[in-house]
Each structure stands twice: as C-alpha cells, then as structure tokens.
Amino acid sequence: MTAIKVSSFGARATVLLLAGTMLSGVPMAASAQTAPAPATPPAAAPVRPEAAPVAPPVTRTIKTLRVEGSQRIEPDTVLSYTKLRVGTSFSNETLDQAIKDLYASDLFADVSISGAESGDIVLRIRENPVINRVLYEGNKRLKEDKLRKEVKLAPRQIFTRTAVRQDVGRIVELYRRQGRFAAVVEPKMVALDQNRVDVVFEITEGPKSKVRQINILGNEVFSDGKLRGEMATKQARLTTLLSSNTSYDQDRMAYDQQKMRQFYLTNGYADFRVTSAVAELTPDKKDFIITYVVEEGPRYKFGDVTVDSDIRDFDNKRLAATLPMKKGDFYNAKQVEDSVDNLSESTGLFGYAFTEVNPEFNRDKDTLTMGINFHIAAAQRSYVERIEINGNTQTQDKVIRREIRLSEGDAFNSFQLKRSQDRINSLGFFQEKFEIKKTQGSAPDRVVLEANVEEKSTGELSLSAGYSSLEKFIIQASVRQRNFRGKGQELRASVNYSSYSKSIEVGFTEPYLFDKNIAIGGDIFRRDYNAFNYIGDDRQTTYTQVSTGFQIRAGLPLTEYWSLSGRYGLSYDEVGLDKGTYFTAGVCDPLRAGRYLCDAIGNRATSSVGFSLINDSLNSRLRPSAGKRLVLSADFAGLGGDVKYVRTRFEGAKYWGLGSGFILSANAEGGYIKSLEGSRGAGIDKVRITDRFYLGEPDFRGFDIRGVGPRVQRIGYTTDDAGNQVLVSDRTQFVDDALGGRAYYLGRIEMEIPLGAGAREMGLRPSIYIQAGALFGITRPLPTATFPTRVDPVTGRTTVLPLETQVFDGNGHPLFVVPSTDADHAGLATTCQVGYSATLGGTDCAGTSVNTAYTSTTAPFFERFGGDSAKPRLSVGAGVNWNSPFGPLRIDVAYALLKNPSDDTKLITFNVGTQF
C-alpha cells in the first residue's frame, strides 16, 4: 500500500486504492538465469575438477550503532527488536535477520541497513502510520455499530496491510451471513500530516443472494414440492416475497437436510439418507441453486414393541400398552422420541429424576419391520437436595419460590416440576420458554433444581393515541407495574379519553398477603360512557352513564387448580339524556327518545357482593397453548342501594397444542341476570337497561358493537313512485337502539396458525375461527306512540298520518295560539285558553278571543321490536394480531352466516392503539 502525502494545508481527500497483489500477500518469485544447453553433447564426459574449499563467513564487529528515521518510537525501542549490539560480531546473515525482526514487529513500513563495511551500522527506518479514523462508506444494510464490533482496526493503532486484509475478510463474511455474496469491500487510505492516516472501507453491498432453485434427485415416493414444503429454505418466488428464508444460509441448509430426514423417518423410511448436498452460486453472484441427492430406501412397519424396566415399581406390559405405536403400524421416529419422553416423565412421577430410557431397535430387512424395546435402566428414587434461583436481580427469591410446587427434602416429581414451570411462566416477569433444570446432587439419590430466570421489563408507561372502529379517536395514558418492588404486586393507573367514553382508574393487587397464599386488591374508578346508535353514517348519543365507585377483592386457593375469590363493590350511576334533544317541557319525551330510554334515566346506587369459583390448569396465562380454565361467578346486588338483582356467569376455555406451532382453542361463556325488584310498570323490564348483558363487537366478530339481541328500530315513511306511502328500506336511515338482554351465550373455536421466523419476529399471530351465540330475554316494550290513520275510500289503502301533540311551556302549562281575528295579538302563543296575557303563564287573561291549542307535529314512524331470540347467530372469520411499532393492532374479517333480521352485522373490524 502506498499513500500520497498531504500537507497540513492540503485536502484530505486524496485516496489511493490498495494494490490487490499487495493485499493478497503473494510474494513475487525471483527469476534465475540458466546457461543454455550445448547444441550437441560432448563425446566424453569431462573430468570433474576438485571442489574448491568453502570460505568461512566473514565476521566483523559493530563499532557504532544508531537509528535514523524514528519519530514516535524511541531508538532504544527499535534496537530492542533486533539482536544487534555495539561490540558484538555480525555477519550478513545477522543483518538480514535484524531486518526480518523489524518487519515482523508490524511497526515499520521500510527498513534498511548501511555501514556494514566499516562496522558503523546505521538502521534507517520508516515507521508505519498511526490510524486517525476508521470510516465506512456505502453500508446501508449493516450499521456502523455492527461493523465496528468485527473490525479490529481502531484509532491510535498502528496501520498494517495485514490488519487491513484481515478486516476486509471479516466485513465480507458479515455480509455473507446476510446472504449478500456479491458484496465487495475496497480499503482505501487517506494520508495525513504527522504520519497519520484515515482508513476508509468502501463497501458495495450488492443484492441479497436468493435461492433460485432447490433440486432434489432420487426421490420417488414424495414429490419435490412436498419435500420443499418441509424445508426452512424457500425458493425465491412472488409468493415468498416477504419471507426471510429465501436467502442462502449454510446453517439453514444443514437444518433442511435434518428436516428431510426427520420427515422420511416419521413416514417409515428408516434407511433414508442424503448422499449429497451442493449449493452453487450463479456467475452473477445473485442466486444460489441447491441440489440434494437422496436415497429413500424401503418403508418399514413396527414389529414387536416392548418395555423392559429394571425398576421393580413398573409393570412392563402396562407401560407398553400406553405407547402410541402398535405392531403393524408404519414406523414413525417421532413416536419413538415422544415415547422416550413420556416414559421418562412417567418414571419422574414416581420420583426417579435421572432415569435413562434407551430404545433398542431390531431391524429386519427381510420383513421390513422395526422391533423396538424400550429399556428403562435401574435408578434410585431422588429427593430434592436444594433449589437454586439465579438471574433475578429485581424479583425477590420468595416470589419465585412460592410458585415452585416442590420443596427441599421432597421426593422428586416430574409433574410437580412441570407445574412449577407453568406457574412461573404465568407470572409474566421472565422471558418465555423458562425451564427448571435438574442436575445431580451430592449423592445419586439427590437432585438439585436450578431456576435460571431471565427477567424482562414488567413496568409499562404508555402515552398513546389511536383509532378504533368502536371508539374512533382514542387518547390513552397509563402506568402499570406488574412486579412492584420485586414482590409480585401489581400497581396500575390509567386515563382514557375518546369521543364516547372517558375513564380514570387506579388499582392495586397483593397476590400474597402477609406471605400467605391469599390475594387481595382493590380498584377506584370513574367511568363516563355514552351509549349510541347509528342514523346513516352518523353515530348518535342516546343516553349517558356516569359511574363512580370502588371494588375490593380477595382470593385464596382451594387446591392446586381450584381457587375461590370474593368481591364487594359500591358504585353510583347517573343515567341521563340530552334535555335539549329528548326532553319536552322538562320531561323526557317518548316521541323523541323512545319509551324504553325514558324509562332508563335516573340516579341510583348499586351495592353488590359476589364470588368466583375458578379452575385453572393453563400452562400460561399470557399466551396459553395447553390446559383449561373454568370460571363460575355470581353477584348479588341489594345490600343497601337502589338496585336488586342476582347475576350469574360462566366462562370456560380449553387449549390444545397441535404441534408445529398450531394452537386450537375452544371458548364458551354465558350469563343470566334476575331482578329481585317488583314491577316497574307495564312494558318495562325489571332489569334496568344499564345492568343488562350486551353482545357484539369485539367479542362476537362479524356483528357490530351491541349488534346482537333485542332492539327497537324506528322506521320512517316515504312515498314510492306511484305515490303510495311505504316504509323506508334503507337501513342506514333507521333509528336503531340496542336494549340488551337478561341472558346470553357465546362460543368460539379458534385455530392459531404459525408463521415463519420473520413473521414471528414482527409479532404477527393470525388465526381462523367460528363463533355462535345469542342474547335474549327481556320484556317487550310498549309502543311509543299510536299514529292516526286514514283509509282511502277509492283504493282502500291506509295512510299513517302525523301525530299532533299539545305543546307546554317550561312550567308544564299548555300553550295556545291567538287566532288571526284578534287585531292586537294574532298568532302569538299564550297560556290563556280565552284572551291573552302579557306574561307567558300569567292568569290575567284579557280579551274574548277563543284560542286554539298550540301543537307540534311528529312525522309518522313504525316502531319494530326484534332480535329477542335464543336461536344461535353464527359467524366465521379470520383475524391477525400484530405487535406493531405504533401499538398493538387487531384486524378481523368475519362474515355472519346466521343472523336475525334485526341484527347489525359488520365485515371488517380493527383496533389500533388499544389493548385487545
């Protein structure tokens, strides 16, 4: 490498490309001259002369020794790298070795020696420059911080060509790990004053080398497409555009061979092997072509499957009967692996922690059968010697230990060990896939349990804005600590604001009161909720409900899986309607609001006590994949307050892990509320509208919010082309009010579908589902109004006429209109039926005019009650959860297959910026 020296006043942009031959480190071979051979050989071989005696090497003595050209390095330091000393003898070989030693130090760019004839030795050196900066240009796919971790060159180090060459190789290797095999790295050097340089790595990243084609040779039973489907590596196609597995990866290629072998072994081909695996890079370095050569071999069936146990506690025949494989079934290596795990776990249930289960294969190539004997080696019962907890810096030991179902000195039990792992995972304080490891203790019958946890953040501070199809624009602020002070306590506070709901809530939960297995907690809240309906695309507020109150809770376990919790709550509800819209003369007007809404308004206090009986065997409360959860709840309102009812609910969920990331779940819930109050009038349900159940989005996908169940629809009249009066058919013009119900049920079967590694890293979790449910059981409300009708004597058609109603003043006095015959007050409103009063509402009526009633006209409408049916509604759909950078996102596309004519359906729903 050479450099152009730049003065302190010159530009520092002078750059010289490192010579390829110099970076390669290949020395130039010296050429030797050889005398030409004679044209004709001599007649006789000449007599070889006697060898001359070899002169001994000339040795001389170093008289003086000095160093020239040193700048940063002291002359004594330069001499310390050689064996040259004043007064010592030297030869040409000694000087050559000194030059080699100085070059080997990597401190010098040039070394020469003079003065050998006189003994006055002068070492002339030119020091290697010092690195001022290491710069990178052209790197977009790899950030500088990642490159700096691999590159060894650094500022203030000595520059050497060898170090540059090594760093170029490291950078190229980094890009190859990303699948960019066309990446080119050109090192350049900018010379500075004071023998300093800037090293610049100019990087041409090139495209990502994709896998263009995967060829499989030798397969006859399974197609190429079937085998490619088992591989992690995918061919670059339009359908795999978003996949991260289309780039070439040598480690992934080895994994694919193992996946192919595993696939064949699970299908009975025990002799399968991959004889060759070759990845060829195309000349343009853009794509790879991978070729596998396989030998499938014959297909085997299971022969005799037996269990041979050296432990007397086990019945070999009974253990063999529990195995999934039977004689005559096709051989499946996965079943063999699962059987080993199941037998090991079975022995662990009896306290044998370190049992060895060895499958012994008996292959018969003539009958193509594979006999297997599972040999359980002798072992001693194990006891827990101690439990070690490592890695917890914030969480206290007792928070983890109280979830472990084994204690020091207990007999080992693999079931209790698995249960302990599930309970610790359910805390949500540690990274997923936590496992308790068991190691040999101080004696063969002793086991040490190691809980190596890796804590994750349990505090959440959220300031977010989002958009929801339910709430429109949402602003949310919340703070939550699920592991407060490292004691497992939960402290939370939240504020939510949207166009139709506002709330503030503070809560605290102590899971172990006084270190006893008793949980206690409480909440204080204020919630301002606006019920609504749709008229066209406009969302209209119907009634407002402001709830202020608190709730305290307590719970304790009954058994390992059963627990009981109790609660008491007190709240004060203020239910009202917009007086300017729905009131007339200070009174709720049924013609405007509907009789059912007028019956709902009022202020009342609710004092309730309740309990929940819970059975929970989920392997995780955050993202379960196995187990079940059942909850039976009941609440009684009437310990004081204005409301009396009994409300019961049931919830159940079951999860199955189907393998390969598929999770099947079944959920069911239902509820019923019974009022303990007397009749509130004809056509008025005993259960108030604010205490009823509601069903729809987001729980029942495929239906709008409160879209299922009893409702009243107010439908206006219009005129058709023939001039006949008909009902409006456009549903968006209906006034649609959901009334809720006293009973409901809802069930859902859902399958979570796994995606590739890239999608999992993005937090995508798609699923498909089917749901069925219904909401029903209220008293049919009385009609709001009865409109007069007129029958056409010619056509016989009935026409519904507008309704004229008396108008009252603010004090409830009927209003009248002065007739036009009154010269002074014609057309004015008065409370005088005869005459006129200067004061509205006054009794000093003067005059003799007979006034007519002041009335308002209400356009006719038809009020339809429907949806109160226990017949199931059914919907199917698909959805995806995404932990997006701007908040959690849930999108669902669901279609209602079965519905009631009164139900409100919705095809697409989404929520952004709120929890789902």
Side-chain angles (χ1 to χ4, degrees), residues 495-762:
V495 176
N496 294 276
Y497 178 88
S498 72
S499 301
Y500 294 92
S501 65
K502 307 168 186 65
S503 69
I504 181 169
E505 185 170 346
V506 178
F508 176 79
T509 301
E510 167 58 70
Y512 277 76
L513 183 64
F514 305 125
D515 291 330
K516 304 296 183 181
N517 201 356
I518 300 175
I520 189 169
D523 299 282
I524 302 174
F525 60 86
R526 178 180 175 88
R527 305 184 184 109
D528 186 346
Y529 172 74
N530 295 339
F532 59 88
N533 59 30
Y534 282 99
I535 301 178
D537 294 331
D538 296 330
R539 182 172 172 175
Q540 305 293 324
T541 298
T542 54
Y543 66 87
T544 62
Q545 179 182 358
V546 179
S547 298
T548 306
F550 70 89
Q551 184 184 78
I552 56 175
R553 308 176 303 275
L556 72 161
L558 303 177
T559 66
E560 176 62 28
Y561 297 104
W562 288 93
S563 61
L564 179 67
S565 66
R567 55 189 168 271
Y568 172 77
L570 178 64
S571 64
Y572 185 73
D573 295 326
E574 302 172 73
V575 181
L577 293 169
D578 185 356
K579 292 185 177 181
T581 304
Y582 299 108
F583 277 57
T584 299
V587 180
C588 181
D589 188 349
L591 288 174
R592 297 184 179 184
R595 188 181 302 276
Y596 39 87
L597 292 182
C598 288
D599 294 337
I601 62 176
N603 301 336
R604 46 192 166 269
T606 303
S607 175
S608 65
V609 62
F611 75 91
S612 294
L613 184 62
I614 305 167
N615 176 264
D616 191 343
S617 61
L618 297 178
N619 63 342
S620 173
R621 294 172 190 168
L622 303 178
R623 288 192 59 191
S625 59
K628 68 178 184 299
R629 177 179 172 84
L630 305 174
V631 182
L632 176 64
S633 303
D635 290 278
F636 168 72
L639 297 177
D642 307 311
V643 181
K644 296 180 180 180
Y645 61 75
V646 174
R647 178 166 51 203
T648 58
R649 289 190 64 191
F650 170 79
E651 299 176 67
K654 175 72 175 175
Y655 294 83
W656 298 270
L658 305 182
S660 301
F662 288 91
I663 300 175
L664 177 66
S665 63
N667 294 265
E669 61 178 283
Y672 180 77
I673 182 170
K674 178 177 177 58
S675 176
L676 302 179
E677 301 178 28
S679 174
R680 299 173 53 227
I684 303 176
D685 198 275
K686 294 181 180 180
V687 179
R688 291 174 172 82
I689 195 171
T690 54
D691 297 325
R692 299 170 192 166
F693 297 112
Y694 291 89
L695 193 60
E697 182 192 348
D699 298 319
F700 201 167
R701 302 155 194 166
F703 294 88
D704 207 344
I705 183 171
R706 298 189 172 191
V708 177
R711 61 201 324 102
V712 171
Q713 294 172 329
R714 184 177 294 187
I715 308 170
Y717 289 93
T718 187
T719 305
D720 63 12
D721 295 338
N724 301 316
Q725 187 184 52
V726 294
L727 291 172
V728 173
S729 59
D730 185 0
R731 185 160 182 163
T732 62
Q733 301 304 315
F734 295 1
V735 176
D736 193 338
D737 286 322
L739 304 183
R742 285 184 291 177
Y744 85 100
Y745 65 87
L746 178 64
R748 180 177 75 251
I749 298 177
E750 187 166 5
M751 174 77 76
E752 185 173 319
I753 303 172
L755 295 178
R760 285 197 303 270
E761 291 175 1
M762 294 174 61

Side-chain angles (χ1 to χ4, degrees), residues 209-216 235 248 253 277-283 286-292:
S209 300
K210 302 289 186 179
V211 176
R212 179 190 299 176
Q213 185 70 33
I214 300 177
N215 300 319
I216 305 173
Q235 298 180 134
Y248 171 74
M253 186 175 171
V278 178
E280 297 176 291
L281 185 62
T282 56
K286 291 183 178 180
D287 297 303
F288 273 89
I289 298 176
I290 300 176
T291 303
Y292 297 102

Side-chain angles (χ1 to χ4, degrees), residues 79-151:
L79 293 175
S80 67
Y81 287 98
T82 70
K83 296 180 180 179
L84 302 179
R85 300 293 182 270
V86 175
T88 61
S89 59
F90 71 96
S91 63
N92 292 338
E93 290 76 8
T94 305
L95 298 180
D96 290 341
Q97 186 61 44
I99 293 175
K100 293 179 181 179
D101 291 340
L102 291 174
Y103 275 122
S105 68
D106 282 337
L107 297 175
F108 309 104
D110 188 31
V111 179
S112 63
I113 298 178
S114 63
E117 295 79 5
S118 62
D120 297 319
I121 303 299
V122 178
L123 292 177
R124 292 186 176 86
I125 61 172
R126 182 164 56 86
E127 297 175 353
N128 273 330
V130 174
I131 298 174
N132 179 55
R133 292 183 301 170
V134 179
L135 306 174
Y136 307 89
E137 294 180 358
N139 57 308
K140 297 179 180 179
R141 302 297 179 179
L142 285 177
K143 301 301 181 184
E144 280 196 20
D145 56 350
K146 193 168 186 178
L147 292 173
R148 292 186 188 280
K149 292 178 181 178
E150 295 292 329
V151 171

